[in-house]
Amino acid sequence: MGNEINLENYPYSTRLKDLELLEIDFVAHGDDISADANGVNSYQEIIDAGKMKIVKRTDGISTTDLVGRMLLCTSDHQISGGELHSPHEHVIEHYLTTSRKIVQFSNNKVPKHTDKVVYVDGSFDLFHVGHMRLLEEAKKRGNYVIVGIHEDAVVNKAKGRNYPIMNINERVLGVLSCRFVDEVVMGVPFEVSSGLIKSLEVSVVVAGKHEDKKAASPDEDPYAVPRAKGILEVVESNSKLTTDGLIERVMENRQAFLDRQAAKKNKDQSAEDNKPEQYRNVREAI
């Protein structure tokens, strides 16, 4: 891979002059149209210059949808007993998992007998920089990182309300997209057991100091077994951001977000109706 550059506080609409300055060959975006405050395609200048690449976006999941789940406190997105709860059966309201999609996100690695396996678990809801830093720290402690992700019912029992905001299918792909992760185990128990440690050949169990995982009772310790075995490491991710903190930010600005959602719905529909040809009928690359 080439050098990676992060441009903070960049304008919403990408500028051709910046591509030329940074020697960027092309800009990639999903086939969902991106429009500015005036409803104009944010990438029109780039499209006109022939430097635009359109890729198929994942159906059923978007930032707008996630914000809506937080504001409305819905639980329709959660999975119970293998079924999605949706009042609109004829519309793809939720992300649908396929084996091909999981393979696309997987690095297809398997642990070698010489690898030091590190295990991290949690809900990993609204995957954010705090999660990423935790996984980065986990990677420093071994060669192969396995992430255990709790089922929706387990997370909801521990945290209540409409948690998790993202269902397990969505959360799995979020974690798999992180370069520090080698493998994901879906639906792991809340407590890290001896059986799990033995089955996955875990050498180190990592937990974060600032995390969303909460036991049902203060007397319960989900890491009692690895703690007793002396293989638990509680690490500092150097980020105090949590899923709860993200949701609190949204709720503190509830009315502004509701107004934004309403305006964006109308703008997005207009942009969809006037979508350029290159945004239409896009298929996934094989």
Side-chain angles (χ1 to χ4, degrees), residues 136-149:
E136 183 178 19
E137 288 300 317
K139 192 71 170 184
K140 294 176 182 178
R141 287 156 173 79
N143 312 95
Y144 194 89
V145 173
I146 299 177
V147 178
I149 301 182

Side-chain angles (χ1 to χ4, degrees), residues 13-281:
S13 296
T14 306
R15 301 176 300 204
L16 181 60
K17 64 179 182 180
D18 297 328
L19 268 63
E20 296 169 344
L21 177 65
L22 298 171
E23 298 181 340
I24 295 173
D25 296 319
F26 60 85
V27 174
H29 194 275
D31 60 341
D32 53 325
I33 195 74
S34 175
D36 62 18
N38 298 315
V40 178
N41 190 326
S42 305
Y43 297 95
Q44 194 59 54
E45 183 182 20
I46 310 303
I47 292 173
D48 294 342
K51 291 180 173 291
M52 193 72 194
K53 300 289 185 181
I54 308 299
V55 297
K56 178 66 177 175
R57 71 179 291 273
T58 302
D59 291 321
I61 182 69
S62 67
T63 304
T64 302
D65 179 48
L66 293 178
V67 171
R69 296 179 193 180
M70 293 181 237
L71 294 175
L72 299 176
C73 295
T74 62
S75 59
D76 291 336
H77 56 280
Q78 293 177 9
I79 299 175
S80 176
E83 296 182 358
L84 284 165
H85 300 288
S86 174
H88 309 292
E89 297 298 331
H90 62 288
V91 179
I92 297 180
E93 295 275 334
H94 305 277
Y95 168 70
L96 302 177
T97 305
T98 65
S99 57
R100 179 166 57 86
K101 180 65 69 177
I102 292 176
V103 169
Q104 286 177 332
F105 277 70
S106 173
N107 65 13
N108 295 316
K109 286 179 60 179
V110 294
K112 300 187 292 290
H113 72 280
T114 55
D115 282 343
K116 186 176 183 180
V117 177
V118 181
Y119 178 77
V120 190
D121 72 346
S123 61
F124 293 93
D125 200 11
L126 298 175
F127 193 80
H128 52 70
V129 67
H131 294 138
M132 186 183 71
R133 296 303 180 206
L134 172 64
L135 295 172
E136 183 178 19
E137 288 300 317
K139 192 71 170 184
K140 294 176 182 178
R141 287 156 173 79
N143 312 95
Y144 194 89
V145 173
I146 299 177
V147 178
I149 301 182
H150 303 307
E151 291 180 344
D152 295 353
V154 172
V155 178
N156 186 259
K157 181 180 179 180
K159 301 190 66 175
R161 298 198 321 193
N162 66 324
Y163 287 103
I165 302 301
M166 301 176 74
N167 66 49
I168 190 168
N169 294 335
E170 297 162 345
R171 291 183 282 121
V172 163
L173 291 196
V175 172
L176 278 175
S177 66
C178 180
R179 63 181 176 180
F180 305 116
V181 175
D182 296 296
E183 187 175 348
V184 163
V185 183
M186 300 173 65
V188 297
F190 196 73
E191 295 81 16
V192 182
S193 66
S194 293
L196 183 146
I197 292 171
K198 181 179 179 180
S199 175
L200 298 178
E201 299 182 341
V202 174
S203 298
V204 180
V205 174
V206 166
K209 288 184 178 180
H210 306 285
E211 61 175 358
D212 297 307
K213 183 167 180 173
K214 299 175 182 177
S217 166
D219 298 327
E220 295 180 10
D221 180 8
Y223 300 109
V225 171
R227 195 185 305 276
K229 289 179 177 291
I231 63 172
L232 177 67
E233 290 195 33
V234 180
V235 303
E236 175 60 70
S237 66
N238 295 315
S239 172
K240 295 185 179 180
L241 183 63
T242 64
T243 300
D244 292 344
L246 281 175
I247 295 173
E248 286 172 6
R249 292 184 191 179
V250 172
M251 298 308 291
E252 286 172 0
N253 297 279
R254 178 182 174 85
Q255 190 57 52
F257 274 111
L258 286 172
D259 294 342
R260 170 190 174 276
Q261 296 290 89
K264 193 173 189 305
K265 181 178 180 180
N266 294 330
K267 184 184 72 174
D268 287 350
Q269 185 58 57
S270 176
E272 179 68 24
D273 294 340
N274 297 285
K275 180 185 287 188
E277 190 60 34
Q278 57 264 56
Y279 279 79
R280 301 181 184 277
N281 301 317

